[in-house]
Amino acid sequence: MTPEPRAHEAADLVDTTVPHSARIWNYWLGGKDNYPVDRFAGDEFARIFPGIVDAARGARHFLARAVRHLAGEVGIRQFLDVGTGLPTVDNTHEIAQRVAPESRIVYVDNDPLVLAHARALLTSTPRGATDYIHADLRRPADILEAAARTLDFDRPVGLMLLGVMGHVPDDAQARALVAELVEALPPGSHLTLSDGTDVSAERRKAHDRYNSSGAAPYELRSPGTLRELFDGLELLEPGVVPVTEWRPDPDPAPPAPVTTYGGVARKP
């Protein structure tokens, strides 16, 4: 396993001349960890596809509802969050430990910018634990080996793959990577996964423009192809749906329609 750079070394690797997906996402969520190049790219994307801000916020709220369900109703006390992105409000450990203070959370990302901010992910209740692994989704064995320092793989784990599989454009490879991670988890574990879909012509156009900007490409999938990433698992109701429609919190206003889909499934 390649030694991970230290946080101050990681900060030196950050390129502020090219738009960056984690920083753009941070901008859409109202965060401060972004640069003019990211805000320009984010505004250009939103000009073509205005729904992206609702999609970003809807995905964040989906994470919160899924973690609350898993920690509360299901009783999961361990989470492996792969493709963490920049820390923001209500990270996975904050939501889980609010429900169950003894929860243990491992974050994974291969982005030096995320590593530079990882200290914000390492706060924990005294009864629980958090860890951060600088590793690549495409090397599941490395992730699992390092995560075993904090998580007990004899007990159910909540595997979180939110907004990350679009960075693996090959469908067969994406299915294989998800399957390898899930295979290492015991029965009763759950997969929570969401990603952008290709149901909107405007979103497809915005992504094409974004992918030509020099930033790390992100490929959209059809909702049906996204469902295939859950093969072999038991999907919880309501299945793979727009993230704002997955068990929404009570609200007099209907949820905003979004083109980011997600679901939660149990390993039998």
Side-chain angles (χ1 to χ4, degrees), residues 5 7 22 30 37 40 44-45 49 54 57 69 73 80 91 94 136 144 151 171 177 192 204 251 259:
V37 66
F40 178 80
E44 281 294 292
F45 196 109
F49 178 61
D54 284 336
R57 294 175 181 175
H69 171 74
E73 297 178 43
L80 180 58
N91 300 292
E94 294 167 316
D136 196 312
L144 294 165
L151 306 182
D171 291 341
L177 291 171
T192 302
R204 294 196 303 270
D251 193 319
T259 59

Side-chain angles (χ1 to χ4, degrees), residues 152-163:
D152 177 0
F153 285 118
D154 290 327
R155 297 170 51 229
V157 174
L159 173 62
M160 317 296 290
L161 296 171
L162 303 179

Side-chain angles (χ1 to χ4, degrees), residues 106 133 142-153:
V106 172
I133 301 169
D142 288 351
I143 292 172
L144 294 165
E145 178 185 355
R149 297 192 302 252
T150 303
L151 306 182
D152 177 0
F153 285 118

Side-chain angles (χ1 to χ4, degrees), residues 31-108:
K32 306 294 185 184
D33 295 314
N34 48 76
Y35 295 93
V37 66
D38 308 305
R39 296 190 285 274
F40 178 80
D43 289 340
E44 281 294 292
F45 196 109
R47 181 180 61 80
I48 300 170
F49 178 61
I52 190 58
V53 175
D54 284 336
R57 294 175 181 175
R60 196 70 191 176
H61 295 153
F62 167 66
L63 177 151
R65 296 194 305 278
V67 172
R68 285 203 311 266
H69 171 74
L70 295 177
E73 297 178 43
V74 179
I76 284 181
R77 297 294 179 261
Q78 307 185 105
F79 293 84
L80 180 58
D81 189 333
V82 182
T84 302
L86 284 169
T88 183
V89 176
D90 272 353
N91 300 292
T92 298
H93 74 281
E94 294 167 316
I95 301 163
Q97 292 183 346
R98 204 173 292 146
V99 177
E102 69 273 26
S103 297
R104 306 174 74 82
I105 294 87
V106 172
Y107 292 102
V108 183

Side-chain angles (χ1 to χ4, degrees), residues 125-141:
T125 62
R127 293 172 57 193
T130 58
D131 193 12
Y132 176 82
I133 301 169
H134 189 74
D136 196 312
L137 168 65
R138 295 170 181 82
R139 301 184 65 174

Side-chain angles (χ1 to χ4, degrees), residues 4-267:
E4 66 180 54
R6 297 184 180 184
H8 70 275
E9 295 170 338
D12 293 339
L13 299 174
V14 174
D15 185 353
T16 62
T17 67
V18 176
H20 185 284
S21 61
R23 298 193 309 247
I24 295 171
W25 202 258
N26 177 267
Y27 172 54
W28 286 331
L29 290 173
K32 306 294 185 184
D33 295 314
N34 48 76
Y35 295 93
V37 66
D38 308 305
R39 296 190 285 274
F40 178 80
D43 289 340
E44 281 294 292
F45 196 109
R47 181 180 61 80
I48 300 170
F49 178 61
I52 190 58
V53 175
D54 284 336
R57 294 175 181 175
R60 196 70 191 176
H61 295 153
F62 167 66
L63 177 151
R65 296 194 305 278
V67 172
R68 285 203 311 266
H69 171 74
L70 295 177
E73 297 178 43
V74 179
I76 284 181
R77 297 294 179 261
Q78 307 185 105
F79 293 84
L80 180 58
D81 189 333
V82 182
T84 302
L86 284 169
T88 183
V89 176
D90 272 353
N91 300 292
T92 298
H93 74 281
E94 294 167 316
I95 301 163
Q97 292 183 346
R98 204 173 292 146
V99 177
E102 69 273 26
S103 297
R104 306 174 74 82
I105 294 87
V106 172
Y107 292 102
V108 183
D109 210 298
N110 69 337
D111 189 330
L113 182 66
V114 178
L115 175 59
H117 289 265
R119 281 179 298 179
L121 297 170
L122 298 180
T123 60
S124 175
T125 62
R127 293 172 57 193
T130 58
D131 193 12
Y132 176 82
I133 301 169
H134 189 74
D136 196 312
L137 168 65
R138 295 170 181 82
R139 301 184 65 174
D142 288 351
I143 292 172
L144 294 165
E145 178 185 355
R149 297 192 302 252
T150 303
L151 306 182
D152 177 0
F153 285 118
D154 290 327
R155 297 170 51 229
V157 174
L159 173 62
M160 317 296 290
L161 296 171
L162 303 179
V164 66
M165 297 311 300
H167 292 298
V168 183
D170 182 80
D171 291 341
Q173 184 186 18
R175 289 194 298 271
L177 291 171
V178 174
E180 186 171 348
L181 288 169
V182 170
E183 177 64 26
L185 307 181
S189 296
H190 285 64
L191 168 65
T192 302
L193 184 149
S194 67
D195 253 312
T197 66
D198 61 2
V199 297
S200 160
E202 291 79 10
R203 185 163 187 174
R204 294 196 303 270
K205 181 179 178 181
H207 273 275
D208 288 344
R209 181 76 60 86
Y210 170 80
N211 288 344
S212 66
S213 70
Y218 182 98
E219 299 298 329
L220 300 172
R221 289 188 163 89
S222 71
T225 303
L226 207 61
R227 287 187 191 95
E228 293 174 2
L229 299 179
F230 292 93
D231 282 356
L233 303 176
E234 300 170 347
L235 271 168
L236 306 188
E237 293 293 337
V240 179
V241 296
V243 289
T244 51
E245 297 177 17
W246 195 90
R247 305 191 180 191
D249 292 325
D251 193 319
V258 297
T259 59
T260 295
Y261 279 54
V264 180
R266 179 183 182 276
K267 180 177 178 178

